[in-house]
Each structure stands twice: as structure tokens, then as C-alpha cells.
Amino acid sequence: MSTQTAPTLETDFTAATTQPNRHTLARAYRLMRTADEMARLYEENKAITAKYVHATARGHEAIQLATAFHLTPQDYAAPYYRDDAMLLGMGLQPYELMLQLMAKRDDPFSGGRTYYCHPSLRRAGFPVIPHQSSATGMQAIPATGIAHGIKYLESQGLLSADAAASDFPVSLCSIGDGAMTEGEVAEALQMAVLHQLPIIYLVQDNDWGISATSREMRAMDAYEFAAGFKGLHRLQFDGADFLASYAGMGEAFDYVRQRQGPVLVHAKCPLLGHHTSGVRREWYRGDNLASHTLNDPLPRFHQQMLELGFAEDELQALGAQARATVEADYQRALAAPAPDPATFQDHEFAPPAVMEEAGERSPAGADKALMVDAALHAVDDILREFPEALFYGQDVGGELGGVFREAALLAKKYGDARVFNTPIQEAYIVGSTAGMSAVGAKPIVEIQFADYIWPALNQLVEELSKSCYLSNGKFPVQSLIRVPIGAYGGGGPYHSGSIESTLLTIRGIKVVYPSNAADMKGLMRAAFLDPNPVVMLEHKGLYWSKVPGTEDAKTTEPAAGYVIPLGKAAIVQEADAEKLRNGETCVVVTYGMGVYWAKSASRQFPGQVEILDLRTLNPLDFEAVQAAVIRHGKVLVLTEEPLMNSFAESLAGRIQRHCFQRLDAPVFTLGAANLPAIALNVDLERQMLPNADKVAAMLSELLEY
């Protein structure tokens, strides 16, 4: 943008114009001085303030304040770790930011759990700020998911009257220019232009990414990069000039509020502080700092204020007010209480919505259903009942309805706004659900094959799994992620893998693994209703019961509304009571395809084998496991995964530790061969995987103890 003409003070400008009124100018100056005083105080007291790593807005204050002044309580924001001036502009007090700086109990964002300037806020009169992680560039996808959720809710008539009118909500994604090189940012931009979403990407470009310069990191700046995304409106202006920034951000917000599509703002800023308190500027900046200081927004704004008619003593009074507030708030924050250590594990998950089994599992006259059809009908029931629910992923929309037909005809039934295809973007598919959840949409998404979930792990780990815990319970992510999994019949190395052990190392997500149609339908609904991220693993070999021995996966279909609580195992086969009394029995603890290998193998040992289907791997029903082990004293833990370092081995170790005195034999384990992939050739595949004969051999040895 060209340089803006300075406003005259005789005009009474409103917040919606491109020029600020006198009150706004005075507030901007006071808050710019406040941010400066905070940075100065932190540096002068670094023995205290540098205990935990932090960064400040020095050099970026002008663009951040200008942006904050255009946000409304209807909006959503994703600030990044240098945006403390933006938070001040939204109305947060220095005291509140300092509580986070010092990891105090009353830190309004996280209760002392996460870094300075990593906000999460749900407060009347403020923009909503979902959980913000430290993973560079990762905020672009959840922020775009917010915009996607806003547009979806509007399409269904589910926005409030205010939001649907003049205060149409905007999602703001604040990001650094170095982070724009992340691949996941490109995924976000692609979806924003594809669906013309109401989002502003504010790129604060200070030419540095820690110690790496822009020359080392990129071939073009963000403004040039954005030109490749057709339909992305671009603005570029001086981010160190408050007046230019205020006018430019006014144009950006007006453009989005008028539903004209996404905007990328490229604002150049000097970096005047340290990268963070742990990476100090004197270590790497050299003469560069002096050149950046020439563009300091504070003295520039001071001179502009004088030219606009403010007296020097007025500005000095505003500066003195800022200093007094910062110093008083600092003393208050120092004296504020620390978190109670006893609360360290609070908010791992939000409380579950389903606590008991409910509905009809076997309604009279109901037909038997395949697992794949039970899944389809469960999602159909959810979409019919919950207008805020939507379903998306690769190939689930349109005519195909999923490569396994697990979403067949749903797009035709509910429309392309509710059931739609995405690009091949696993990170966006998963990460966008965090933003969707924050605005009240209820996403169901699908990763086409378990082997392709890996690009989504960054979002699953950083944005979804930590959100509830690090926001002190304010932002659990309601997200149902469906993942076809498992091997059978020559699927090959990239369509047959088992991934549950990797998922189970991620704290803050739930992992469900049904083995039959009735459980599929009941667990699908519970997973959807759960306020936390749930990954539902659906074995491809059980979908149609075509694999010999899996006929029992086809069951009577439960009625609509049937639900099973997560974390409850089921005994799918009991042992004979007399053989149990005689000590002639054992239990197989398993899930998924393992249920059917165990069933087939147990026919060689009539009445001697109980089979416990875990159904949910996290939360794990260890009480049911313990009870079964105590009943029998002999246990085989059976999995389809390679055994080494697996969930199955971990569970075996836990059984050994907690049930040792009740065991009559070592805990046996059986899984796939410890190889990096499933071979394509069916004979090689068969050799690698467990099967009924291998399970029978293991049971024979176990029962001999």
C-alpha cells in the first residue's frame, strides 16, 4: 500500500474507518509504550523473567496494535509467540501476561502450563483465542479450520444473528515470514482459496528466523509467495507505521467481512528484541540491529502524534502511565501464587459425554449388517441428528463415498457443504478439526489409509492432543478421525500397516478399535459425542467379513442412537465354568482382527479360552484385563502389529507388574514379524502376520503350564 494520509483530529472517525480517532490514537500510543516498558522491565529483571523462555513484540508493536483494534468479540484469533502487543490491544492487562511469563496459578490462558504469549482465551467481550502451540507455522491450519467452520455454520444457518450480519466473524492467523516456508502453511492457503474462507493471514516479516536470515531461508517473501494462490487477496505495507498499518488492516478486515474471501497481509517490521530470552540478539545480530533500530515504530509514532496535534506533555503522561502500570503489575505478578502441584494432571481430557451403554444393541427384527455398513449408518444418523456435524476427507464426497464405500451417497443426501472431498492433505484434514471444534462445528474426518496418517502427526500431537491440557480445559478438541487399518489379501506395504502403538504414545487423544458391526455403530457415536480427539481404527479386513473366520464381525445392527462408552472392554467368548474351576483355562487379550484369530484357534481347545476384546485402547479398561487375568492366571496378549516395542508388549509388562502373584505362567505375547512393512505377495504377508494356527500353537504352550 502507498503511504496513508495522516488523519486530522477534527474528524470523528469510527473504528470501522481506515483512520483512527483521537481516543484510538492515544490508546495506541499508551499501549505501544506499555509493550516497550514490558520488554525493558523483562530485560532489566532477567534473573527472574528469563527463568522461563519468552519473546516480546519490540519492533512489531505498530502492526500488532493496529490489528487488535479491528478485532471484535465475534472474531477468532491465532496469535503467535511474539504478539504480546496484540494481546494488549485486545484488552489483556500486563498483569495477566506477566502471570503467564512467571507460570503462575492465575495465568488466564493455561494456569502456568505453557509459555509466555501462548494464549487461549474464552472471555466475554474478547475475540476467541483457541490454544496456540509453539510449533512454527502449525497455527495456519487450525486458524484456517476456524474460518472453514465459520463458513460451514453460516451455510447451515447456525451463526448467531449478529455474526451473520455486520459483525461477520473473521479468523486471524498471525505468523512470521520464516514460518511461511512450512509445507502445512501451503495446505492452509490452498484450502482458504479453494473454499474462499473468511481468514486474514497476517505475516510479520522481520527478516529473521532465529539466527537465519531471509536470504538463507527463502527465495521470495510471503507477498510474492501468495501470488501463486489464485483468489488470495494480497496487501503489503509498512508494519512499523501505525497509521499505515491501521488503514491496511481496516481494508483487510472489511474485505473479509464482506465475504470477499481470504486475505494475506505482508507487513515488514524490525526485530528489536531478542529472538527469545534464550537466544539473545548479541549472539548473532552484529550491525544488523543498528539498521533495524532506525525503523523502530515507537519514535516514528511519537513524531506522528506530535504532527497530529498531541502535545509533548500529553505523550509523556501516557508514557508515565504505561510505566507505572507495568511496574505495579510486575510487583503484583511476583507476589501471585504458584499453581498447586496437586493439579498437575487436571484436564488431560474433558469429561466424556457417554458414561453408560444406551439404546438397543439387538432390536427385534433387525437385519445383520456388515461393519462397513454399520459405520456408514452411524455417520448417517449423526449427520441427520446434528446439523453442526460435517464429514470430510479424501474421496468421501461426490459419487464414490470413500474407497471402501464407507460414506456412500452421504454427499448426495446432505450436500457438498457437509460431506466433501479434500485435497491430499492429511495435515489439513486432521489439524482443521481443532479450528472447527473451537467455533462449535463437529467434524468427522477420514485418513484414507493408516499408512498415510504420518503427515498429520504434527497437527495431531501439537494442536489437538495438547489443547485441552494446555488451555486449562477451555479448549478440548472435539474431533472424530476415522482411519482404515490392517492387512489382508495382498494390500501391500502402504495400505496394510498397523499404527496403534505410535498413536498410543500421544497423550491427550483417545484410540478406539472396534471388531464387529454392533460395536462399530455404538463406538462411532460415542467417539463423535466425546469432547476430545478420538481416532477410530477400522480394520479393512473386517469391513465386509470376506476374510475366512471373520463372519462374526457381521452382527445384528443396533438401532439409531445406540452408544457404547469408550474405555469398556467386552468378553466375546467365555470359558467353561468347570474347566475354569479346574485351572484349565486362559484368556486372550486382543482387539480387531485378533478377536477372530483367537476365536478360530480356540476351537482346538473347547471351553478353555476366554477372549477379551479391548475395543478401546486409550482409555484402556485395565480393570477388565486384571479381572480376566485373575480369573485364569494365564494370558496371551495378541496384536496384529510387529511385536517389538508395541502396545501389546507394554500391556504384557503392565500385567506382569500388577498381576504377578496371580499368574500361573509368564505373560505370552504374539504379533507380526518385526519388519518395516507388510509385503505385497500374499504368501509373504501370511508368513509375517499372526493367524489362527500361530495363535493355536501359542495357546497349546500356554495351557500346558
Side-chain angles (χ1 to χ4, degrees):
M1 289 182 62
S2 59
T3 303
Q4 301 298 304
T5 303
T8 59
L9 295 178
E10 289 74 24
T11 307
D12 182 21
F13 297 105
T14 65
T17 67
T18 59
Q19 297 175 320
N21 61 24
R22 184 180 180 88
H23 171 76
T24 300
L25 286 165
R27 181 167 177 253
Y29 183 81
R30 177 175 56 82
L31 291 177
M32 198 177 293
R33 291 289 297 268
T34 301
D36 179 60
E37 291 292 344
M38 289 167 63
R40 176 193 58 78
L41 181 143
Y42 295 170
E43 185 66 10
E44 290 176 356
N45 296 274
K46 57 179 176 285
I48 295 172
T49 60
K51 179 178 180 181
Y52 303 111
V53 173
H54 65 270
T56 69
R58 280 299 287 126
H60 293 236
E61 300 96 329
I63 183 60
Q64 290 182 20
L65 290 170
T67 301
F69 289 177
H70 288 288
L71 287 165
T72 74
Q74 299 284 356
D75 294 329
Y76 294 78
Y80 87 130
Y81 60 83
R82 199 178 299 286
D83 284 350
D84 54 3
M86 186 183 295
L87 296 174
L88 293 173
M90 291 180 195
L92 275 298
Q93 298 304 305
Y95 173 67
E96 296 178 289
L97 302 185
M98 291 172 186
L99 289 174
Q100 188 177 41
L101 175 79
M102 301 179 195
K104 297 288 189 169
R105 181 193 69 190
D106 298 327
D107 153 31
F109 307 135
S110 72
R113 296 179 176 201
T114 196
Y115 298 114
Y116 180 73
C117 213
H118 287 58
S120 55
L121 190 71
R122 232 188 244 282
R123 181 185 291 178
F126 286 75
V128 175
I129 307 176
H131 159 256
Q132 300 300 302
S133 81
S134 282
T136 305
M138 298 306 98
Q139 71 269 40
I141 285 178
T144 307
I146 288 171
H148 208 154
I150 290 168
K151 185 160 186 177
Y152 170 71
L153 294 175
E154 184 193 31
S155 75
Q156 304 302 303
L158 298 174
L159 283 182
S160 67
D162 287 343
S166 59
D167 289 333
F168 182 66
V170 170
S171 176
L172 173 76
C173 175
S174 178
I175 192 168
D177 199 72
M180 291 296 293
T181 61
E182 286 276 8
E184 293 184 19
V185 174
E187 291 192 20
L189 296 177
Q190 182 70 243
M191 289 299 284
V193 297
L194 184 64
H195 292 273
Q196 286 296 287
L197 300 179
I199 185 168
I200 298 171
Y201 300 97
L202 170 60
V203 184
Q204 299 178 54
D205 182 359
N206 60 32
D207 278 329
W208 285 93
I210 310 184
S211 66
T213 66
S214 58
R215 299 187 309 276
E216 299 172 87
M217 293 188 297
R218 65 191 192 215
M220 65 197 79
D221 66 27
Y223 185 80
E224 296 164 322
F225 176 65
F229 292 88
K230 184 179 179 180
L232 180 60
H233 186 56
R234 297 181 300 152
L235 296 172
Q236 187 174 42
F237 48 80
D238 185 354
D241 184 324
F242 176 77
L243 299 178
S245 295
Y246 190 89
M249 292 310 298
E251 180 181 339
F253 275 90
D254 287 347
Y255 185 93
V256 179
R257 291 201 202 284
Q258 292 167 15
R259 297 163 174 76
Q260 293 180 272
V263 174
L264 182 136
V265 171
H266 179 243
K268 287 301 294 286
C269 307
L271 177 61
L272 301 181
H274 308 291
H275 168 71
T276 67
S277 57
V279 183
R280 299 182 62 79
R281 62 192 184 188
E282 59 266 22
W283 296 347
Y284 63 95
R285 293 291 297 279
D287 294 338
N288 176 266
L289 182 59
S291 64
H292 275 230
T293 302
L294 297 175
N295 203 27
D296 188 337
L298 183 52
R300 291 178 65 184
F301 192 37
H302 186 99
Q303 183 60 37
Q304 288 173 328
M305 293 286 277
L306 294 174
E307 294 170 1
L308 289 167
F310 282 83
E312 180 66 33
D313 59 352
E314 287 182 89
L315 300 183
Q316 293 303 325
L318 290 169
Q321 180 185 349
R323 172 168 288 204
T325 298
V326 167
E327 291 182 349
D329 283 5
Y330 177 67
Q331 295 303 320
R332 287 177 62 205
L334 281 175
D340 180 355
T343 65
F344 79 101
Q345 61 184 353
D346 292 355
H347 307 299
E348 177 191 6
F349 291 114
V354 177
M355 301 298 293
E356 302 290 340
E357 184 174 3
E360 292 185 86
R361 183 178 177 93
S362 301
D367 293 330
K368 284 193 171 185
L370 296 168
M371 271 186 68
V372 70
D373 290 334
L376 170 64
H377 299 161
V379 174
D380 191 0
D381 292 343
I382 288 166
L383 292 172
R384 183 171 58 251
E385 186 176 347
F386 298 94
E388 64 272 32
L390 65 166
F391 182 30
Y392 56 96
Q394 296 165 31
D395 299 303
V396 302
E399 295 291 334
L400 184 61
V403 295
F404 301 104
R405 303 293 286 155
E406 71 282 5
L409 303 180
L410 290 180
K412 284 184 174 291
K413 188 171 184 178
Y414 294 102
D416 292 338
R418 297 194 70 191
V419 182
F420 56 89
N421 292 325
T422 66
I424 303 172
Q425 294 184 345
E426 288 82 4
Y428 185 86
I429 291 167
V430 170
S432 61
T433 66
M436 290 271 187
S437 176
V439 303
K442 299 184 185 299
I444 305 169
V445 299
E446 182 178 303
I447 300 297
Q448 199 164 81
F449 291 93
D451 302 83
Y452 299 129
I453 200 171
W454 311 121
L457 280 199
N458 215 348
Q459 293 291 326
L460 187 62
V461 173
E462 304 296 353
E463 308 302 330
L464 274 68
S465 74
K466 294 177 171 62
S467 183
C468 186
Y469 183 73
L470 291 182
S471 69
N472 232 12
K474 294 190 299 296
F475 288 96
V477 176
Q478 183 169 17
S479 172
L480 171 52
I481 303 164
R482 298 181 60 188
V483 184
I485 191 171
Y488 77 99
Y494 296 105
H495 300 81
S496 306
S498 290
I499 61 168
E500 56 266 31
S501 289
T502 299
L503 294 177
L504 291 166
T505 64
I506 304 170
R507 320 304 173 195
I509 68 170
K510 298 185 178 183
V511 180
V512 179
Y513 204 138
S515 68
N516 60 71
D519 286 352
M520 172 72 86
K521 194 166 188 181
L523 290 169
M524 183 80 77
R525 185 177 180 87
F528 170 79
L529 294 173
D530 200 283
N532 303 287
V534 182
V535 179
M536 175 164 277
L537 302 176
E538 306 172 19
H539 200 291
K540 308 186 307 294
L542 301 179
Y543 266 156
W544 295 288
S545 289
K546 290 183 177 180
V547 177
T550 65
E551 296 78 12
D552 288 348
K554 184 177 180 181
T555 68
T556 300
E557 182 168 3
Y562 174 67
V563 66
I564 301 170
L566 306 184
K568 295 292 183 183
I571 299 172
V572 297
Q573 179 174 292
E574 294 183 340
D576 177 79
E578 183 176 353
K579 292 185 177 182
L580 178 61
R581 284 193 298 271
N582 293 336
E584 301 173 13
T585 62
C586 67
V587 59
V588 179
V589 177
T590 189
Y591 53 93
M593 187 64 81
V595 170
Y596 300 97
W597 291 327
K599 277 190 173 186
S600 296
S602 68
R603 296 191 185 105
Q604 300 182 35
F605 312 94
Q608 291 184 272
V609 180
E610 176 180 313
I611 302 172
L612 182 69
D613 183 357
L614 293 174
R615 302 197 294 193
T616 302
L617 308 185
N618 186 34
L620 175 68
D621 189 355
F622 192 65
E623 289 185 6
V625 173
Q626 281 185 299
V629 173
I630 290 170
R631 264 194 306 276
H632 301 280
K634 300 172 185 177
V635 56
L636 166 63
V637 182
L638 173 61
T639 181
E640 184 172 325
E641 283 194 296
L643 195 57
M644 186 173 64
N645 301 326
S646 65
F647 162 71
E649 283 198 333
S650 173
L651 179 55
R654 190 172 174 186
I655 292 169
Q656 198 93 354
R657 166 68 178 84
H658 292 280
C659 304
F660 180 73
Q661 293 182 327
R662 306 300 295 269
L663 288 170
D664 298 323
V667 178
F668 280 34
T669 55
L670 179 62
N674 296 315
L675 294 166
I678 303 295
L680 178 64
N681 179 275
V682 291
D683 293 325
L684 295 177
E685 177 192 81
R686 190 177 301 113
Q687 189 69 21
M688 296 169 65
L689 293 175
N691 57 36
D693 290 339
K694 294 177 183 179
V695 174
M698 191 72 70
L699 290 176
S700 177
E701 182 181 353
L702 178 61
L703 288 167
E704 287 179 0
Y705 273 87

